[in-house]
Amino acid sequence: MTDRAGLADGYEFSTDPDRIDVERVHRWLSTDAYWAIGRSRLKQERAIAGSLNFGAYDTASGEQVAYARVVTDRATFAWLCDVYVDPAVRGKGIGTAMTRAVRDHLQPYGLRRILLATHDAHEVYEKAGFRPLAAPERWMALLFE
């Protein structure tokens, strides 16, 4: 899928895994994303291989400017994660547009829920319809540290 819906002129989305700039995504996440600091290249490659991947690209240069991935069974559940927009293009609505594109891409699967976790970007996700959990006390996590 290649799409320009909701993006500023000069940018497009793609779900083509061959377009993902793995080196760039790894650098972004492992050095600048609080949830992935220090993530190894091998671990990032495995994460990409096991996920639906979304990229935003500059249409003139073809350069990747944003990334997101989704872990899903394509039937009942999805987890949106590793959403990152290059600092050079932040403020152009790319993060919000990408979140909406992910939501729209997943809609035909008939999922019951799409979850995500964020420390500081609630307003970006709210624009795509995300809301805080109604009953967070029902959710648990098993953490390996």
Side-chain angles (χ1 to χ4, degrees), residues 51-118:
S51 302
L52 291 174
N53 297 278
F54 297 81
Y57 301 88
D58 181 301
T59 55
S61 68
E63 183 176 281
Q64 187 168 353
V65 297
Y67 175 74
R69 69 185 181 91
V70 174
V71 180
T72 184
D73 62 7
R74 293 180 174 91
T76 62
F77 176 84
W79 173 42
L80 172 59
C81 55
D82 286 347
V83 179
Y84 188 91
V85 178
D86 189 300
V89 298
R90 288 183 188 162
K92 296 182 178 188
I94 292 171
T96 297
M98 181 175 316
T99 302
R100 288 178 177 151
V102 169
R103 175 200 64 200
D104 295 348
H105 183 86
L106 295 174
Q107 189 170 10
Y109 296 140
L111 303 173
R112 182 174 174 131
R113 66 181 46 92
I114 302 170
L115 292 179
L116 62 83
T118 185

Side-chain angles (χ1 to χ4, degrees), residues 9-91:
D9 286 340
Y11 297 97
E12 68 182 1
F13 293 118
S14 177
T15 57
D16 180 352
D18 293 333
R19 288 188 72 183
I20 299 298
D21 183 338
V22 177
E23 176 60 35
R24 177 175 293 219
V25 168
H26 174 252
R27 181 173 25 87
W28 282 338
L29 297 177
S30 68
T31 65
D32 192 41
Y34 65 85
W35 65 91
I37 297 291
R39 183 182 291 170
S40 74
R41 171 73 184 254
L42 178 60
K43 187 168 288 229
Q44 187 62 54
E45 289 173 358
R46 287 176 37 215
I48 289 169
S51 302
L52 291 174
N53 297 278
F54 297 81
Y57 301 88
D58 181 301
T59 55
S61 68
E63 183 176 281
Q64 187 168 353
V65 297
Y67 175 74
R69 69 185 181 91
V70 174
V71 180
T72 184
D73 62 7
R74 293 180 174 91
T76 62
F77 176 84
W79 173 42
L80 172 59
C81 55
D82 286 347
V83 179
Y84 188 91
V85 178
D86 189 300
V89 298
R90 288 183 188 162

